[in-house]
Structures are given as structure tokens and as C-alpha cells.
């Protein structure tokens, strides 16, 4: 028989904290932040050491390690092309990874679990900016339906565990993330590393122009990855409610504004040309972050400063 403790958790610098997916963009920033803040008992396993798709291996790992706190930043993540090519894999793998970790965390009496959802889980035709209560009022974007359904299931499983077992299993919905560790992998189609890579190359080659797909008019929100890590550690310490929280800046920019900022940061002197023959995505995708702001957390890094840090990291990693 399992005893489910409902005592309010007491996070200390020695608490055992497992970060699933610590080699990824977000997971690595969470580890940096925890180490910076003096947490000393951080539990990490690479994909090779622990395949989170295997229920048996995850069960054995949790039974042995019994982490007090768990942050789920492991997932199969990708851009539109990858999502459209492998929709079954995106649905199956994400359900499997999160179900394995959530259920083993419950069975082994983890004190608190934070699951990372994604703003992609919101309905395609959602009102903007997107408030937490807009989740499930409409259908997700069809091109990433599998991923979105998995994320919604993860958020809902946390809520149901909270209701049924009284355990602090909670979720957040981050917006688009960028920063050190972000890759130019075409399968992930992250706009910032893609534009930085191309504009940097154009500067080195003395090219006269860089082409950006689409009209440049659609608007997107971008959060610096260290700010997301800060928000997650803030949730670990301060937030115990069942309701999930949006995490973003609450501010969006057009792709044209973003491209001009990147041009300034890199010092590219050529022209930016928008290829309007390429399709634009949703005109706007912005999170309403008034809830987390009112609870005391706000993003700190302004977009230009974040782009400068990312570009420095990019140059370091070219060497
Ligand atoms: N990036 C964004 O813009 C963004 C926005 C909103 C929400 N999020 C959410 O944040 C979380 C992290 O995203 P990310 O951008 O950091 O993704 P990422 O860079 O692709 O990292 C994913 C991590 O999960 C690990 N992983 C994947 N499958 C695994 C498996 N079967 N077993 C063990 N480990 C596995 C990866 O290890 P390997 O690389 O070794 O496979 C990697 O460490 C995801 O839940 C994502 O939905 C991200």
C-alpha cells in the first residue's frame, strides 16, 4: 500500500530535485539556475542512461532514487515540419514520457512535480492574448495536434492527481523560448537561431541581403530561457495551486521588428527582404501573463538584451 503525504512541502537547498530533460534548451537553463541558487542535490540522467519511454526503467529509477521534487522538461519537441511528418510519434512519445514520470512520481511520493506544457496547446483560433481559461475552448492547430493533445493530457493529469490525491502536481504553459543552448536544427524551426545563423553568415560573406520567409507582419512573443528557468524555480518555491500558469513576457513583436533587432545586434549592414510568396502562420500568438505577474513573478530580460546574450553564446559555440 502506498501512503500519499499531503503535507505542504519544505524545499531546502538539500532537497533531491530530478530534472528530466536536463540536456535540452529549457532543462539545461533550469539546472544552471538551481546550481546558481545553491541547490546541491540535483538528480540528472541523460537520455542514454534512462530512456523515459520505458515504463519499467522509469519505475525502477524512481523506486531507487525517490526524488522529492520533479521537473518535467523532457519531451519530443519539434517545429511544424517534424510535427507534420511524425504526428503519431509526437503524441505517443510525449504521452509516454509524461505518464511514466507523473505516475512514478505519485507512486514514490514526490512532494511536488512541475510539468511543462506549451502555448501550442491553446486553440488555434483563441482570442488574444491567451488567458489560462481559454485552454480547451476550441481545437488546437492541426499541424501540431498530436503534440498539443499530449500537452493538454499532461496538464489535466496533474490537475486530476492534485484533486484525487491532494499532491502538488502542477503545470506551466511557456511561450516561445530562446537563448543559450537553442539550436538551428531545421526540424525544430526556432525562428531566432535560424535568423541569427543566416544573418551572421550574410555578414561574414558581405552579402547584400537576407531573405526572411513571409510578410514579416505576424506577431510573436519570445521569452529568454533563463527567465523561464527563473519562473520554474519560483513555482518550485512559491506556487502550490492546482491551476496552471502561463509564462511569458506578455509582449509581442512583429517578425519584421525581430529581424531588425537581430540585424542591429549582429551588425549586418545589408537589407532584409521579406518573401511574401511564403505563407504566414497565425497572425498573433501571445500569452496573457497577468496571473503570474499578479502573484509576483515577471520576466526580466528585454528582447534586445536577450538577443545580445544569445548572439555571444552563438559566437562562443562557433569556435
Ligand atoms: N523550446 C520552446 O520554445 C518551448 C516552448 C514552450 C514549451 N516548451 C517545453 O519545454 C520542454 C523542454 O523543451 P526544450 O525546448 O528544452 O526541448 P529540447 O531542447 O528538445 O530538450 C528535450 C529534452 O528531453 C530529452 N528527451 C527527449 N526524449 C527523451 C526520452 N525518450 N528519454 C529521455 N530523455 C528524452 C532530450 O534528450 P536528448 O536530446 O538526448 O534526446 C532533451 O534533454 C518541453 O516540454 C517543451 O514542450 C518549450
Amino acid at each position: 500500500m502506498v501512503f500519499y503525504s499531503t503535507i505542504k512541502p519544505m524545499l531546502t537547498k538539500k532537497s533531491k530535485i530530478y530534472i528530466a530533460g536536463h540536456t535540452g534548451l529549457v532543462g539545461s537553463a533550469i539546472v544552471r539556475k538551481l546550481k546558481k541558487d545553491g541547490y546541491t542535490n540535483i538528480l540528472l540522467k541523460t537520455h542514454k542512461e534512462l530512456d523515459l519511454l520505458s515504463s519499467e526503467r522509469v519505475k525502477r529509477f524512481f523506486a531507487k532514487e525517490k526524488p522529492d521534487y520533479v521537473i518535467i522538461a523532457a519531451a519530443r519537441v519539434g517545429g511544424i515540419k517534424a510535427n507534420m511528418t511524425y504526428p503519431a510519434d509526437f503524441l505517443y512519445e510525449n504521452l509516454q514520457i509524461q505518464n511514466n514520470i507523473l505516475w512514478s512520481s505519485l507512486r514514490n511520493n514526490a512532494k511536488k512535480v512541475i510539468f511543462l506544457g506549451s502555448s501550442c496547446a491553446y486553440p488555434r483560433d483563441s482570442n488574444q492574448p491567451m488567458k489560462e481559461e481559454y485552454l480547451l475552448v476550441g481545437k488546437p492547430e492541426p499541424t501540431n495536434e498530436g503534440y498539443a493533445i499530449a500537452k493538454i493530457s499532461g496538464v489535466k493529469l496533474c490537475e486530476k492527481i492534485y484533486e484525487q490525491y491532494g499532491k502538488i502536481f502542477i503545470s506551466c504553459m511557456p511561450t516561445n523560448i530562446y537563448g543559450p543552448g537553442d539550436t538551428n536544427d531545421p526540424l525544430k524551426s526556432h525562428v531566432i537561431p535560424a535568423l541569427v545563423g543566416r544573418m551572421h553568415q550574410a555578414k561574414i560573406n558581405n552579402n547584400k541581403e537576407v531573405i526572411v520567409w513571409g510578410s514579416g507582419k505576424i506577431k510573436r512573443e519570445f521569452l529568454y530561457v533563463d527567465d523561464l528557468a527563473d519562473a520554474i524555480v519560483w513555482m518550485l518555491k512559491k506556487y502550490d495551486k492546482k491551476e496552471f500558469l502561463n509564462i511569458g513576457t506578455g509582449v509581442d513583436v512583429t517578425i519584421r521588428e525581430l529581424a531588425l533587432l537581430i540585424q542591429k545586434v549582429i551588425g549586418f549592414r545589408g537589407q532584409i527582404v521579406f518573401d511574401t510568396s511564403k505563407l504566414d502562420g497565425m497572425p498573433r500568438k501571445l500569452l496573457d501573463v497577468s496571473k503570474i505577474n499578479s502573484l509576483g513573478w515577471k520576466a526580466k530580460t528585454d528582447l534586445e538584451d536577450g538577443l545580445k546574450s544569445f548572439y555571444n553564446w552563438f559566437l562562443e559555440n562557433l569556435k
Side-chain angles (χ1 to χ4, degrees):
M1 194 170 135
V2 184
F3 170 66
Y4 296 103
S5 158
T6 53
I7 299 164
K8 201 170 160 47
M10 272 290 294
L11 179 71
T12 72
K13 300 285 173 179
K14 288 185 184 154
S15 297
K16 196 181 223 183
I17 310 173
Y18 168 50
I19 323 297
H22 75 281
T23 59
L25 169 62
V26 176
S28 57
I30 297 171
V31 175
R32 278 200 299 278
K33 170 71 182 159
L34 287 170
K35 285 189 173 162
K36 189 170 158 228
D37 288 0
Y39 292 89
T40 54
N41 197 359
I42 303 171
L43 181 59
L44 308 171
K45 287 279 171 210
T46 62
H47 191 158
K48 212 168 159 199
E49 290 165 336
L50 176 64
D51 185 353
L52 296 166
L53 290 174
S54 162
S55 307
E56 280 315 311
R57 294 190 61 191
V58 174
K59 271 185 202 162
R60 280 204 298 273
F61 166 72
F62 271 83
K64 178 167 173 252
E65 297 289 351
K66 297 194 181 297
D68 296 317
Y69 294 82
V70 177
I71 300 172
I72 310 178
R76 171 132 182 192
V77 180
I80 187 168
K81 188 155 186 271
N83 267 280
M84 286 175 76
T85 315
Y86 309 107
D89 296 357
F90 272 84
L91 179 56
Y92 167 75
E93 289 188 21
N94 284 313
L95 285 175
Q96 189 74 359
I97 291 171
Q98 67 207 37
N99 284 346
N100 283 340
I101 300 177
L102 287 169
W103 215 250
S104 281
S105 300
L106 176 67
R107 289 294 183 215
N108 290 283
N109 225 347
K111 294 185 172 125
K112 186 165 181 175
V113 178
I114 301 181
F115 170 70
L116 274 92
S118 163
S119 57
C120 297
Y122 279 104
R124 179 200 156 87
D125 300 319
S126 178
N127 285 344
Q128 302 289 328
M130 301 184 289
K131 290 182 185 292
E132 283 85 352
E133 58 263 36
Y134 298 168
L135 189 72
L136 284 174
V137 298
K139 291 185 180 176
E141 160 66 37
T143 51
N144 63 223
E145 189 184 48
Y147 180 71
I149 297 282
K151 290 292 176 192
I152 294 167
S153 304
V155 170
K156 287 292 159 191
L157 184 54
C158 287
E159 287 177 8
K160 301 302 164 200
I161 289 173
Y162 196 114
E163 284 164 16
Q164 186 181 335
Y165 294 98
K167 301 283 299 178
I168 302 170
F169 281 40
I170 56 178
S171 312
C172 60
M173 290 291 196
T175 187
N176 302 305
I177 306 300
Y178 73 100
D182 208 348
T183 63
N184 202 352
D185 177 351
L187 283 179
K188 293 208 169 156
S189 64
H190 286 177
V191 55
I192 289 180
L195 280 182
V196 166
R198 279 165 45 212
M199 253 189 246
H200 173 77
Q201 206 49 52
K203 177 184 160 181
I204 302 295
N205 298 344
N206 260 325
N207 291 350
K208 292 211 164 53
E209 59 180 41
V210 160
I211 296 183
V212 178
W213 284 14
S215 68
K217 289 181 182 154
I218 62 165
K219 297 185 99 179
R220 289 292 181 267
E221 177 187 17
F222 298 98
L223 178 70
Y224 191 61
V225 71
D226 288 353
D227 281 355
L228 174 57
D230 186 63
I232 287 168
V233 174
W234 173 87
M235 283 180 76
L236 203 59
K237 291 194 284 200
K238 305 241 162 107
Y239 188 74
D240 285 343
K241 297 236 170 74
K242 184 179 80 173
E243 293 75 27
F244 74 85
L245 293 175
N246 284 342
I247 306 180
T249 60
V251 177
D252 54 1
V253 290
T254 63
I255 297 299
R256 182 186 159 75
E257 287 164 339
L258 175 71
L260 289 171
L261 260 185
I262 293 177
Q263 179 177 35
K264 183 176 164 197
V265 165
I266 292 181
F268 166 60
R269 290 170 191 275
Q271 268 208 324
I272 298 170
V273 178
F274 292 92
D275 177 359
T276 48
S277 71
K278 298 287 189 304
L279 284 180
D280 279 333
M282 278 163 69
R284 202 173 184 207
K285 242 183 88 183
L286 175 65
L287 289 178
D288 182 318
V289 288
S290 49
K291 193 164 174 188
I292 192 166
N293 288 171
S294 71
L295 292 166
W297 184 87
K298 267 199 171 70
K300 295 180 190 74
T301 313
D302 132 288
L303 185 56
E304 187 169 340
D305 290 342
L307 289 172
K308 281 182 191 156
S309 303
F310 175 61
Y311 188 49
N312 286 337
W313 175 85
F314 173 91
L315 292 175
E316 284 290 309
N317 284 273
L318 272 184
K319 282 175 200 157

